[in-house]
Amino acid sequence: MSVDAGPRKVDAEYAIEYLQEHPEAGLCSEDRRSWITPNANDTDQRILLLDVAEADRLKDDPRLRLVSGIAHAGRSLRVVRRMT
């Protein structure tokens, strides 16, 4: 029987690669916790976890943009910028 281990911890480099390969995903942060959600429309889902230092590095990455007006007060969401 296969047991789902849940979200795994990753570094900022892996997380940005994931976000670039999955444009529907997003980086969520709340309090001191950060995670990658597979779908930015549902920020409760967690597929990858980041520690504080790695999340801070990722938040400063110019390839990401902050999304305003998400449903969860106190939670931030960043997604990959669309290049035109």
Side-chain angles (χ1 to χ4, degrees), residues 2-3 6 10 47 64 71 73 82 84:
S2 174
V3 176
V10 297
I47 193 163
L64 299 180
R82 293 183 187 191
T84 56

Side-chain angles (χ1 to χ4, degrees), residues 5-72:
R8 64 185 172 113
K9 191 173 275 193
V10 297
D11 63 15
E13 288 81 17
Y14 184 89
I16 194 68
E17 286 178 25
Y18 182 90
L19 290 167
Q20 289 178 310
E21 292 173 6
H22 300 88
E24 68 283 357
L27 168 65
C28 298
S29 297
E30 185 174 42
D31 298 325
R32 306 270 307 152
R33 297 170 303 185
S34 295
W35 64 94
I36 301 295
T37 182
N39 184 331
N41 292 318
D42 183 0
T43 62
D44 288 333
Q45 294 183 42
R46 292 174 170 93
I47 193 163
L48 303 171
L49 302 175
L50 293 103
D51 65 25
V52 173
E54 294 298 314
D56 287 345
R57 288 179 52 210
L58 199 53
K59 289 176 192 175
D60 293 334
D61 194 301
R63 294 171 283 190
L64 299 180
R65 69 175 176 85
L66 184 62
V67 177
S68 62
I70 68 170
H72 294 278

